[in-house]
Amino acid sequence: MYYLSQELFFPPVSEADEDGILAIGGDLNTERLKLAYKNGIFPWFNEGEPILWWSPDPRMVLFLDELIVSKSMRNILNRNQFKVTFNQNFTAVILNCQKIKRDGQDGTWISNEMIEAYCKLHNQGVAKSVEVWQDEVLVGGLYGIDLGDIFCGESMFSKVSNASKVAFIALVNKLEKENYKLLDCQVYNPHLESLGCREIDRDEFIAILKSK
């Protein structure tokens, strides 16, 4: 495993171990984070532990035209019970992602250090959020890194049923209209698969990431 110094450098993603861990250490300054995402790498670690940098193989992605919206979800969207906004309250979204209880998880990987780093990226226009409101109350949302033609999803939350799905679908529709290539979802989970996401080889993901 590669140990990072203060130098802005990452080894080739092909050097990641079988779990997808590529490097350890370094910091979360904005330039390092931007370099990481541009090369298919992201940080993921528990608070109090060294920073771990990942590039898993396979990679979970959504090709935008493969989005699955169930009939029941279409009915929910047609009722217009939710209002969706973009980049209206990034801080509230990431704080909710930190605090939300998740099945099978004790605690969260979204540390205060991570929040500070991603809020700085948001101030630079790199990290972006989707907010879902019900009766003027924030009930769901997601955030991630916008690379201009690929959006790298980081986390989502939902305080009422289906709110995070509404955020996800709204983001995908927006990205498709703006001719993005895909939505990066990092690693497999069945919830994402139900929305049309699938795993592809890391080499294929990197090729798409680097293509002009």
Side-chain angles (χ1 to χ4, degrees), residues 34-49:
K34 287 189 283 188
L35 179 65
Y37 282 95
K38 288 176 182 176
N39 286 280
I41 303 161
F42 58 88
W44 188 20
F45 61 102
N46 292 319
E47 191 163 14
E49 297 179 355

Side-chain angles (χ1 to χ4, degrees), residues 149-162:
D149 55 5
I150 289 175
F151 191 93
C152 304
E154 276 295 317
S155 186
M156 62 176 70
F157 80 96
S158 188
K159 291 185 174 180
V160 301
S161 295
N162 299 305

